[in-house]
Amino acid sequence: GAVVSQHPSWVICKSGTSVKIECRSLDFQATTMFWYRQFPKQSLMLMATSNEGSKATYEQGVEKDKFLINHASLTLSTLTVTSAHPEDSSFYICSARGSTGGAYQPQHFGDGTRLSIL
Amino acid sequence: GENVEQHPSTLSVQEGDSAVIKCTYSDSASNYFPWYKQELGKRPQLIIDIRSNVGEKKDQRIAVTLNKTAKHFSLHITETQPEDSAVYFCAARNNQGGKLIFGQGTELSVKP
């Protein structure tokens, strides 16, 4: 159980393109989803937290107009990198947490999306 | 702010030996501590977690210990195997059920 599906797994596109990444919880309802960015050989850097039906909460230094997050349902959240540039190239990973279990609810990760901007 | 420190950053052991990774956290309100294993280019995978009301938890070759007073928690892997080679991340979450704060990661290499 607790499967999180993320698509696409790999994106290569030209500078100035907007890219949408989808994150789905397949067998549970994810009241909260998280979006992370990970550089090679580094830890996971939280970009934003989204709760179903409300606006995302962005971490300090993350541009909300650059990284648009939508959490329209209990099983789907999307991250759109708008007008992507080479410096946005990275590994983006989503994570989801269900509503049962309260503060001890485990958090499960998607497979990640490797974004390369030329 | 909240912080999680993880050591060592790299760890190399011989197959069959034990490996220990240590983390400290700063937020005394932290009450949930998961450990993730991430293989190259793959998702972080939850391998074990512990709650603040428990001092130790074991699952086959993996165990985690928690010292709330010292704000330390550790991952212990016994009888290591080459397939244990990966990057391991510790994390902490506070009692408000908020975001996970991750450690810097430990690259474990198990040599056959």
Side-chain angles (χ1 to χ4, degrees), chain A residues 58-114:
Chain A
Y58 290 81
E59 294 298 302
Q60 193 172 11
V62 178
E63 299 176 60
K64 61 180 181 181
D65 295 330
K66 174 76 171 176
F67 300 98
L68 301 178
I69 292 171
N70 185 282
H71 192 164
S73 76
L74 285 171
T75 59
L76 174 64
S77 177
T78 60
L79 167 68
T80 301
V81 184
T82 61
S83 187
H85 292 286
E87 58 266 28
D88 298 323
S89 299
S90 190
F91 190 53
Y92 293 86
I93 316 178
C94 72
S95 181
R97 191 174 81 209
S99 56
T100 58
Y104 303 124
Q105 183 67 22
Q107 191 171 313
H108 300 280
F109 286 83
D111 280 326
T113 298
R114 189 158 304 282

Side-chain angles (χ1 to χ4, degrees), chain B residues 63-101:
Chain B
V64 57
T65 59
L66 172 65
N67 182 329
K68 281 183 63 180
T69 304
K71 292 192 237 175
H72 288 171
F73 59 114
S74 300
L75 178 72
H76 304 252
I77 306 174
T78 58
E79 300 172 34
T80 54
Q81 301 166 4
E83 49 266 38
D84 293 330
S85 297
V87 179
Y88 290 81
F89 292 99
C90 64
R93 188 165 77 207
N94 66 27
N95 56 13
Q96 302 302 313
K99 57 191 178 185
L100 283 177
I101 306 298

